[in-house]
Amino acid sequence: MNNFEFYNPTRIVFGKDKIAELDRLIPQNAKVLILFGGESARRTGTLNEVEQALGTRQFDLFGGIEANPRYETLIKAVDKIEKEGFDFLLAVGGGSVIDGVKFVAAAVNYSGDKWEVVTNRGSTIKTALPFGTVLTLPATGSEMNKGSVITREELHSKLAFMSDYVFPQFSILDPVKTFTLPPRQVSNGVVDAFVHIVEQYLTYPVNAKVQDSFAEGLLKTLIDIGPKALETPHDYDIRANLMWVATLALNGLIGVGVPQDWSTHMLGHEITVLYGLDHAQTLAIVLPSMLLEKLPQKQEKLAQYAENVWGVTAGSQSEKAIKAIELTRAFFEKMQVGTRFSDYQLTQDVIEPLVNSLKAHDMVKLGEHQDITLDVSRRVYTAAL
């Protein structure tokens, strides 16, 4: 196992009717800006619950944060905060809203160009406004980590940053808030969480038995409950388990002391920014092809994955590895998420623009071995047609 340091200060408040706990969690004298996405937060009653829980505190609203949060929108929230003096932020929504609030919290009072928060990968952040979250969509794990991904439309850029300053102070996870999610968002959430785990697990062995067992258990849970979440949308226990798995998939625990990949995410980001596909759709397109491309390096862990997650015991190590990749693709498709460009009416014409975009964003050496070059990425994209 590799050396590591683990730090996660986020308080999780989990369960039905827990939005009322905002009164305990937010300082009484705080001036609060509530940030959210679309009107579903109001339509489902979640915003009303939040406003009631805030009691006599001063608050205002900022809506319209996109599914891939845009700098152009978020900078308006920054301006509002700096002009009106809010001192606590509350994200109400899924990972995109939370990612957006992380940027806003860090960009407020940032002395340089606000976009540097992202382009410097968070390294120049020295302070951030305190914030909490009310999670309504289990998928990204952003409610319990220090990462954020922001899109800048005018630059065709979708980039990540990380900072200890943007851990949420708390996150409220009420599974009931997921009952009204459209099936597409549920499917996307399962795939997103699944690939988060895979990016930290399917690399090469370092004898990290705890992390491997944890990752394998989370993957098996998703395989079990993912389809059920679509079939029985009001099953509290299914949604509770899905919500907690998605949080654990990217709160840092399974990633400590082990090599990590993240190439599938980087290739996927370019698909979203150029062609508008959902984040999880891009992951489902890239991952099977990436695993096949990197089979020689990943074969040992893929065979372990085949045995411990999928129950594949027959065949050689290579045969088990390939079977595991096939089963992964089949699972995504069972979750109603297409795994090829052709499923989204995209053709060979997308390959070179995607590779050029990777180059423009300096994504020229990716993966746990930093050996996924532009030529390798081109092959992965092509194999996903």
Side-chain angles (χ1 to χ4, degrees):
M1 190 188 305
N2 298 333
N3 295 347
F4 68 86
E5 180 176 325
F6 179 71
Y7 171 72
N8 194 317
T10 301
R11 180 188 301 273
I12 297 295
V13 182
F14 191 102
K16 186 178 180 181
D17 298 327
K18 288 296 184 179
I19 288 178
E21 296 293 320
L22 287 171
D23 188 46
R24 171 176 65 90
L25 296 166
I26 297 177
Q28 287 293 330
N29 60 350
K31 184 176 181 180
V32 182
L33 184 63
I34 304 168
L35 299 98
F36 60 99
E39 283 306 307
S40 62
R42 176 71 71 187
R43 190 173 61 251
T44 58
T46 301
L47 274 182
N48 291 337
E49 283 187 64
V50 167
E51 291 170 7
Q52 277 192 322
L54 291 178
T56 59
R57 294 173 182 81
Q58 282 186 275
F59 70 86
D60 201 354
L61 302 172
F62 182 91
I65 297 176
E66 302 85 358
N68 292 288
R70 296 179 183 176
Y71 171 86
E72 291 85 355
T73 299
L74 300 172
I75 203 66
K76 296 175 184 176
V78 174
D79 291 342
K80 180 179 177 69
I81 293 162
E82 291 181 343
K83 288 174 182 174
E84 300 179 29
F86 296 92
D87 53 23
F88 198 96
L89 308 181
L90 184 63
V92 178
S96 292
V97 172
I98 299 170
D99 278 13
V101 170
K102 288 176 179 178
F103 169 79
V104 170
V108 169
N109 301 322
Y110 183 79
S111 58
D113 179 352
K114 309 293 191 185
W115 185 234
E116 289 176 0
V117 168
V118 180
T119 57
N120 291 334
R121 302 295 195 260
S123 64
T124 52
I125 298 172
K126 302 303 179 188
T127 185
L129 283 184
F131 71 96
T133 89
V134 175
L135 183 68
T136 61
L137 171 58
T140 71
S142 190
E143 66 276 5
M144 199 181 178
N145 66 40
K146 62 178 181 179
S148 172
V149 180
I150 304 298
T151 297
R152 188 160 183 178
E153 192 82 354
E154 61 184 322
L155 301 179
H156 301 295
S157 295
K158 183 176 180 180
L159 302 173
F161 74 91
M162 302 180 76
S163 170
D164 282 354
Y165 291 102
V166 297
F167 275 109
Q169 286 196 347
F170 64 82
S171 287
I172 294 174
L173 279 60
D174 181 348
V176 174
K177 297 304 165 189
T178 73
F179 286 1
T180 57
L181 289 172
R184 175 169 164 178
Q185 290 186 324
V186 175
S187 295
N188 282 348
V190 170
V191 170
D192 197 6
F194 196 96
V195 181
H196 285 161
I197 300 164
V198 164
E199 295 269 39
Q200 300 165 86
Y201 166 69
L202 282 180
T203 53
Y204 56 86
V206 291
N207 201 27
K209 296 182 182 297
V210 174
Q211 294 91 320
D212 280 1
S213 296
F214 199 174
E216 289 162 0
L218 295 175
L219 290 169
K220 287 195 288 186
T221 301
L222 283 172
I223 292 165
D224 175 40
I225 68 174
K228 295 174 184 176
L230 291 176
E231 295 161 7
T232 56
H234 292 88
D235 186 317
Y236 180 88
D237 287 331
I238 293 294
R239 290 303 175 94
N241 279 281
L242 175 56
M243 197 167 232
W244 191 222
V245 169
T247 299
L248 291 170
L250 201 57
N251 72 349
L253 277 175
I254 64 172
V256 296
V258 298
Q260 300 184 27
D261 186 342
W262 299 108
S263 60
T264 291
H265 272 71
M266 298 306 101
L267 269 66
H269 287 170
E270 305 303 338
I271 301 173
T272 294
V273 78
L274 291 186
Y275 301 105
L277 271 62
D278 296 345
H279 175 58
Q281 292 172 339
T282 73
L283 301 179
I285 289 171
V286 174
L287 181 67
S289 298
M290 181 65 75
L291 294 178
L292 282 170
E293 172 68 33
K294 304 305 292 180
L295 184 59
Q297 290 100 327
K298 294 181 181 289
Q299 182 170 290
E300 188 172 351
K301 279 305 277 287
L302 277 165
Q304 177 183 327
Y305 168 59
E307 293 176 10
N308 294 351
V309 175
W310 293 106
V312 176
T313 57
S316 66
Q317 191 176 73
S318 176
E319 288 168 339
K320 290 176 187 175
I322 292 169
K323 182 63 175 177
I325 297 170
E326 293 171 351
L327 288 167
T328 302
R329 185 189 296 276
F331 174 64
F332 293 164
E333 291 175 352
K334 186 175 184 179
M335 289 305 304
Q336 302 173 16
V337 182
T339 60
R340 296 192 179 278
F341 281 114
S342 57
D343 294 326
Y344 306 95
Q345 292 75 54
L346 296 175
T347 67
Q348 177 77 35
D349 294 342
V350 306
I351 304 299
E352 288 310 312
L354 288 170
V355 173
N356 290 337
S357 193
L358 283 170
K359 183 177 180 180
H361 297 137
D362 198 29
M363 301 293 173
V364 296
K365 289 184 179 180
L366 302 173
E368 65 268 28
H369 298 290
Q370 292 291 286
D371 60 352
I372 298 174
T373 63
L374 293 177
D375 284 340
V376 175
S377 295
R378 182 182 287 106
R379 290 201 299 269
V380 171
Y381 282 139
T382 302
L385 289 170

